[in-house]
Amino acid sequence: MNPEFNLISVIKTLLKWKWHIVAVTLLAAIGAIITTVFIMKPYYQSFAIVYPVNQSMGDRGSLFGNDAVDAEDYYYGSKHDANRIITLATSSTLVQYIINKYELTEHYEFKGKKFEASNTTEEFMENYQVYKTDKEAIRINIIDTDANLAAEIVNDVLATITKETTRPIEANKKQLAVLFAIQAASKKVAMDSLFQVLVNTKAKKELYDLQKMQYDNAVEDYNDISTLAEQYELASKQSMAGIEIIESAYPAERKLKPVRSKICMATTILGFILACLGALGIEQVNYIKQELEK
């Protein structure tokens, strides 16, 4: 180690190699500019903010029972509703639907290459995020080199989630409405049959009283089932969106990355530091060689 290797010797060395340091620094700056402008693609971000809606608000119990007051207090649903939406938004079915519809394999330039399907999926999932915000909302976020495509994909995801979150619930409501309508019709047939029997036994007091009791019970059963059938029929016609869209996606006007100024500045500073260290290293190596030759 050079015993005179101090601040003054460092400055002398840097001044000795100043033009080399300047050249390396300029090369680093020029390289960074060329890379960020001509090689690195700009990426744009589009996102949407949604809240899950409590689907039980459209149920028969909420519309006609005592649950209506509670449903109003939880319009935006619970964490289970939010988790269901996140699971649906990140499901392989939806991801592959987006990849196929927008031909992302060609867009990501994986067409014809090895493992094109898995590479496309990995690339998409790196650019696509669905998560809860600190306000308990759900953010659907995507970055892409095409600003319009990014916004279109996010809005398509929103439309798909809206459809898929309500489809099984609406199907279940319709199934229950049909089931209770069939039961009501069956009760109506039984009630009419008992009425005919009641008419035929009107002259027989004791038998008439017994039949009258059975008929009254049948009428009560029919009225109860008929009321439920009507309520379920009305509930099946109540269509509620699975999500409340607070902010839809739109094409970004500014790129998200790369931040060219920061990259160029960092690369230039790094080039300068490495050039200085290189100059100091060369001088130290030369000093060691001189010492060994003595």
Side-chain angles (χ1 to χ4, degrees):
M1 179 67 69
N2 186 353
E4 297 182 358
F5 195 77
N6 50 36
L7 180 59
I8 296 176
S9 63
V10 168
I11 295 175
K12 288 181 179 181
T13 301
L14 295 179
L15 289 175
K16 176 183 177 181
W17 291 82
K18 61 182 178 181
W19 296 117
H20 297 83
I21 295 172
V22 170
V24 172
T25 304
L26 288 176
L27 286 175
I30 293 171
I33 293 172
I34 293 174
T35 301
T36 56
V37 174
F38 298 104
I39 298 178
M40 297 180 69
K41 295 180 179 180
Y43 279 83
Y44 301 89
Q45 176 180 253
S46 283
F47 66 91
I49 302 294
V50 302
Y51 274 101
V53 174
N54 186 358
Q55 292 288 291
S56 65
M57 292 184 64
D59 292 345
R60 184 201 69 86
S62 296
L63 294 173
F64 303 101
N66 296 325
D67 297 336
V69 176
D70 295 335
E72 291 177 358
D73 295 335
Y74 299 97
Y75 175 78
Y76 286 118
S78 64
K79 63 180 181 180
H80 302 292
D81 297 303
N83 291 335
R84 183 171 64 252
I85 291 174
I86 293 174
T87 301
L88 177 59
T90 56
S91 66
S92 59
T93 302
L94 189 146
V95 169
Q96 293 306 316
Y97 160 74
I98 293 295
I99 289 175
N100 295 331
K101 179 177 179 180
Y102 294 96
E103 299 179 346
L104 295 184
T105 301
E106 292 86 347
H107 179 65
Y108 293 150
E109 300 178 354
F110 290 130
K111 189 67 175 179
K113 296 182 179 180
K114 190 177 181 181
F115 307 121
E116 62 177 47
S118 58
N119 287 337
T120 301
T121 302
E122 290 175 4
E123 178 74 14
F124 177 75
M125 294 307 294
E126 287 179 1
N127 299 331
Y128 175 65
Q129 300 89 30
V130 182
Y131 57 90
K132 288 183 183 179
T133 68
D134 56 351
K135 302 298 183 182
E136 295 300 319
I138 297 174
R139 176 174 172 132
I140 300 172
N141 190 90
I142 191 169
I143 59 174
D144 197 272
T145 54
D146 188 331
N148 293 318
L149 178 61
E152 189 176 353
I153 290 176
V154 173
N155 286 325
D156 198 347
V157 170
L158 290 180
T160 304
I161 293 174
T162 301
K163 178 182 177 181
E164 292 302 317
T165 51
T166 57
R167 182 178 57 81
I169 297 175
E170 290 180 354
N172 184 60
K173 287 185 190 179
K174 291 178 181 179
Q175 185 178 4
L176 288 173
V178 171
L179 177 62
F180 278 97
I182 293 173
Q183 290 184 359
S186 177
K187 293 290 184 181
K188 180 70 165 56
V189 171
M191 182 183 68
D192 292 342
S193 177
L194 286 173
F195 179 76
Q196 292 298 326
V197 174
L198 182 64
V199 171
N200 294 333
T201 58
K202 191 172 182 179
K204 302 176 182 179
K205 176 70 168 123
E206 294 182 359
L207 185 58
Y208 176 82
D209 291 341
L210 179 60
Q211 294 296 333
K212 182 66 167 61
M213 183 181 300
Q214 293 179 353
Y215 174 74
D216 291 340
N217 290 334
V219 170
E220 184 177 355
D221 289 343
Y222 169 73
N223 289 335
D224 291 341
I225 291 295
S226 179
T227 299
L228 287 174
E230 292 176 359
Q231 291 178 353
Y232 275 105
E233 177 66 22
L234 290 173
S236 67
K237 296 178 179 179
Q238 298 293 319
S239 179
M240 294 193 64
I243 56 176
E244 180 79 12
I245 300 175
I246 306 301
E247 184 175 353
S248 298
Y250 60 89
E253 296 180 351
R254 297 181 179 179
K255 68 179 183 301
L256 175 67
K257 62 178 185 178
V259 183
R260 293 191 176 98
S261 59
K262 292 183 178 179
I263 294 176
C264 292
M265 185 179 296
T267 304
T268 302
I269 293 174
L270 181 61
F272 173 76
I273 293 173
L274 292 177
C276 293
L277 292 176
L280 295 173
I282 292 172
E283 284 295 315
Q284 193 66 21
V285 170
N286 291 336
Y287 173 78
I288 293 174
K289 286 181 178 180
Q290 292 173 3
E291 289 295 316
L292 292 175
E293 292 174 357
K294 293 181 178 178

PDB file of all heavy atoms in Angstrom, residues 62-73:
ATOM      1  N   SER A  62     -83.936  -9.694   2.559  1.00  0.00           N
ATOM      2  CA  SER A  62     -83.646  -8.266   2.689  1.00  0.00           C
ATOM      3  C   SER A  62     -84.781  -7.401   2.153  1.00  0.00           C
ATOM      4  O   SER A  62     -85.038  -6.316   2.658  1.00  0.00           O
ATOM      5  CB  SER A  62     -82.353  -7.935   1.938  1.00  0.00           C
ATOM      6  OG  SER A  62     -81.256  -8.602   2.510  1.00  0.00           O
ATOM      7  N   LEU A  63     -85.468  -7.889   1.113  1.00  0.00           N
ATOM      8  CA  LEU A  63     -86.529  -7.103   0.496  1.00  0.00           C
ATOM      9  C   LEU A  63     -87.831  -7.142   1.291  1.00  0.00           C
ATOM     10  O   LEU A  63     -88.551  -6.140   1.368  1.00  0.00           O
ATOM     11  CB  LEU A  63     -86.790  -7.606  -0.926  1.00  0.00           C
ATOM     12  CG  LEU A  63     -85.648  -7.416  -1.926  1.00  0.00           C
ATOM     13  CD1 LEU A  63     -85.980  -8.104  -3.237  1.00  0.00           C
ATOM     14  CD2 LEU A  63     -85.390  -5.935  -2.152  1.00  0.00           C
ATOM     15  N   PHE A  64     -88.141  -8.300   1.900  1.00  0.00           N
ATOM     16  CA  PHE A  64     -89.438  -8.464   2.558  1.00  0.00           C
ATOM     17  C   PHE A  64     -89.345  -8.843   4.025  1.00  0.00           C
ATOM     18  O   PHE A  64     -90.355  -8.909   4.710  1.00  0.00           O
ATOM     19  CB  PHE A  64     -90.258  -9.552   1.834  1.00  0.00           C
ATOM     20  CG  PHE A  64     -90.467  -9.253   0.383  1.00  0.00           C
ATOM     21  CD1 PHE A  64     -89.697  -9.873  -0.581  1.00  0.00           C
ATOM     22  CD2 PHE A  64     -91.429  -8.342  -0.016  1.00  0.00           C
ATOM     23  CE1 PHE A  64     -89.880  -9.603  -1.928  1.00  0.00           C
ATOM     24  CE2 PHE A  64     -91.628  -8.062  -1.361  1.00  0.00           C
ATOM     25  CZ  PHE A  64     -90.852  -8.695  -2.316  1.00  0.00           C
ATOM     26  N   GLY A  65     -88.114  -9.096   4.520  1.00  0.00           N
ATOM     27  CA  GLY A  65     -87.975  -9.524   5.908  1.00  0.00           C
ATOM     28  C   GLY A  65     -87.330  -8.482   6.774  1.00  0.00           C
ATOM     29  O   GLY A  65     -87.250  -7.294   6.438  1.00  0.00           O
ATOM     30  N   ASN A  66     -86.781  -8.928   7.903  1.00  0.00           N
ATOM     31  CA  ASN A  66     -86.151  -8.037   8.871  1.00  0.00           C
ATOM     32  C   ASN A  66     -84.699  -7.753   8.549  1.00  0.00           C
ATOM     33  O   ASN A  66     -84.044  -6.986   9.256  1.00  0.00           O
ATOM     34  CB  ASN A  66     -86.241  -8.652  10.282  1.00  0.00           C
ATOM     35  CG  ASN A  66     -87.673  -8.781  10.750  1.00  0.00           C
ATOM     36  OD1 ASN A  66     -88.512  -7.933  10.433  1.00  0.00           O
ATOM     37  ND2 ASN A  66     -87.967  -9.849  11.493  1.00  0.00           N
ATOM     38  N   ASP A  67     -84.173  -8.382   7.476  1.00  0.00           N
ATOM     39  CA  ASP A  67     -82.773  -8.189   7.142  1.00  0.00           C
ATOM     40  C   ASP A  67     -82.523  -6.907   6.362  1.00  0.00           C
ATOM     41  O   ASP A  67     -81.385  -6.526   6.129  1.00  0.00           O
ATOM     42  CB  ASP A  67     -82.260  -9.369   6.295  1.00  0.00           C
ATOM     43  CG  ASP A  67     -82.329 -10.673   7.071  1.00  0.00           C
ATOM     44  OD1 ASP A  67     -82.323 -10.605   8.308  1.00  0.00           O
ATOM     45  OD2 ASP A  67     -82.382 -11.738   6.431  1.00  0.00           O
ATOM     46  N   ALA A  68     -83.599  -6.219   5.950  1.00  0.00           N
ATOM     47  CA  ALA A  68     -83.430  -5.044   5.095  1.00  0.00           C
ATOM     48  C   ALA A  68     -82.637  -3.944   5.785  1.00  0.00           C
ATOM     49  O   ALA A  68     -81.808  -3.288   5.181  1.00  0.00           O
ATOM     50  CB  ALA A  68     -84.801  -4.517   4.677  1.00  0.00           C
ATOM     51  N   VAL A  69     -82.872  -3.740   7.068  1.00  0.00           N
ATOM     52  CA  VAL A  69     -82.163  -2.683   7.785  1.00  0.00           C
ATOM     53  C   VAL A  69     -80.675  -2.997   7.873  1.00  0.00           C
ATOM     54  O   VAL A  69     -79.825  -2.133   7.667  1.00  0.00           O
ATOM     55  CB  VAL A  69     -82.748  -2.502   9.203  1.00  0.00           C
ATOM     56  CG1 VAL A  69     -81.945  -1.476   9.983  1.00  0.00           C
ATOM     57  CG2 VAL A  69     -84.209  -2.065   9.106  1.00  0.00           C
ATOM     58  N   ASP A  70     -80.353  -4.271   8.161  1.00  0.00           N
ATOM     59  CA  ASP A  70     -78.950  -4.648   8.254  1.00  0.00           C
ATOM     60  C   ASP A  70     -78.253  -4.523   6.918  1.00  0.00           C
ATOM     61  O   ASP A  70     -77.099  -4.134   6.844  1.00  0.00           O
ATOM     62  CB  ASP A  70     -78.836  -6.099   8.761  1.00  0.00           C
ATOM     63  CG  ASP A  70     -79.351  -6.238  10.182  1.00  0.00           C
ATOM     64  OD1 ASP A  70     -79.325  -5.229  10.898  1.00  0.00           O
ATOM     65  OD2 ASP A  70     -79.774  -7.346  10.548  1.00  0.00           O
ATOM     66  N   ALA A  71     -78.949  -4.850   5.828  1.00  0.00           N
ATOM     67  CA  ALA A  71     -78.335  -4.783   4.505  1.00  0.00           C
ATOM     68  C   ALA A  71     -77.945  -3.366   4.144  1.00  0.00           C
ATOM     69  O   ALA A  71     -76.936  -3.135   3.493  1.00  0.00           O
ATOM     70  CB  ALA A  71     -79.303  -5.348   3.466  1.00  0.00           C
ATOM     71  N   GLU A  72     -78.719  -2.392   4.573  1.00  0.00           N
ATOM     72  CA  GLU A  72     -78.404  -1.004   4.274  1.00  0.00           C
ATOM     73  C   GLU A  72     -77.104  -0.586   4.945  1.00  0.00           C
ATOM     74  O   GLU A  72     -76.381   0.269   4.445  1.00  0.00           O
ATOM     75  CB  GLU A  72     -79.541  -0.098   4.721  1.00  0.00           C
ATOM     76  CG  GLU A  72     -80.812  -0.255   3.890  1.00  0.00           C
ATOM     77  CD  GLU A  72     -81.945   0.617   4.400  1.00  0.00           C
ATOM     78  OE1 GLU A  72     -81.751   1.297   5.418  1.00  0.00           O
ATOM     79  OE2 GLU A  72     -83.005   0.603   3.768  1.00  0.00           O
ATOM     80  N   ASP A  73     -76.816  -1.155   6.096  1.00  0.00           N
ATOM     81  CA  ASP A  73     -75.605  -0.799   6.823  1.00  0.00           C
ATOM     82  C   ASP A  73     -74.356  -1.381   6.177  1.00  0.00           C
ATOM     83  O   ASP A  73     -73.243  -0.967   6.477  1.00  0.00           O
ATOM     84  CB  ASP A  73     -75.704  -1.293   8.285  1.00  0.00           C
ATOM     85  CG  ASP A  73     -76.820  -0.577   9.037  1.00  0.00           C
ATOM     86  OD1 ASP A  73     -77.164   0.553   8.629  1.00  0.00           O
ATOM     87  OD2 ASP A  73     -77.334  -1.152  10.005  1.00  0.00           O
TER      88      ASP A  73
END
